[in-house]
Amino acid sequence: MSTAPRPAPAPVKRAVHSDRTPPPAGGYSKAIAAGPYLFTSGLGPQDPDTGAVADTVQEQTRQVLANLRALLRADGLDLDDVVKSTVHLQHLHRDFAAYDEVYREHFSDPRPVRTTVGSDLMNILVEIDVVALRRDPAA
């Protein structure tokens, strides 16, 4: 008999959905839970009820974070569980300060690590994706 330890089983991945977020714009999942982590796709600022997009980066950032919160809550998580975010801004230099002010209002210390880049977005000013860590991996 072999006494070598068996490798740990690979984490099971499953899609996470919420009707409180806009539908995906293409062939991808809104979020995937894998092990203790939840990985989201980049979410935009569309209002899930109307599809409307606000005009300012502040309003769009608030809506993106509301969409992210709804998706996280669909899997028993919240913004306080976010450990990493990636933010895409259509106008990085122009909009960074205004977006950052709203972003700071939604995360408590220690805030997630973050990468913010300028991107060519499709008729929106901000898109954010996150990685969240489940506090209780058994949940």
Side-chain angles (χ1 to χ4, degrees):
M1 262 186 139
S2 173
T3 59
R6 291 181 166 222
V12 175
K13 73 177 189 177
R14 62 182 167 75
V16 175
H17 307 279
S18 171
D19 60 359
R20 298 300 314 144
T21 60
Y28 57 87
S29 297
K30 289 184 196 179
I32 293 288
Y37 296 99
L38 179 74
F39 301 87
T40 74
S41 295
L43 294 184
Q46 295 81 2
D47 180 294
D49 295 324
T50 66
V53 175
D55 293 327
T56 70
V57 74
Q58 294 96 327
E59 294 169 306
Q60 287 194 23
T61 301
R62 280 188 190 89
Q63 185 62 59
V64 170
L65 293 169
N67 292 344
L68 281 166
R69 177 175 273 136
L71 189 53
L72 290 162
R73 285 183 173 167
D75 203 45
L77 298 165
D78 204 340
L79 291 174
D80 285 338
D81 299 305
V82 172
V83 295
K84 166 102 174 85
S85 67
T86 303
V87 180
H88 299 266
L89 294 175
Q90 177 70 30
H91 305 287
L92 179 63
H93 297 288
R94 181 190 82 183
D95 289 343
F96 182 86
Y99 128 80
D100 187 58
E101 181 181 337
V102 173
Y103 182 96
R104 287 171 181 263
E105 295 169 2
H106 288 79
F107 291 97
S108 56
D109 287 328
R111 289 185 173 92
V113 298
R114 178 178 80 185
T115 300
T116 305
V117 297
S119 295
D120 186 14
L121 301 174
M122 295 175 24
N123 301 315
I124 60 174
L125 299 175
V126 60
E127 178 179 285
I128 302 173
D129 66 85
V130 301
V131 177
L133 175 62
R134 197 170 313 286
R135 295 174 200 197
D136 178 6

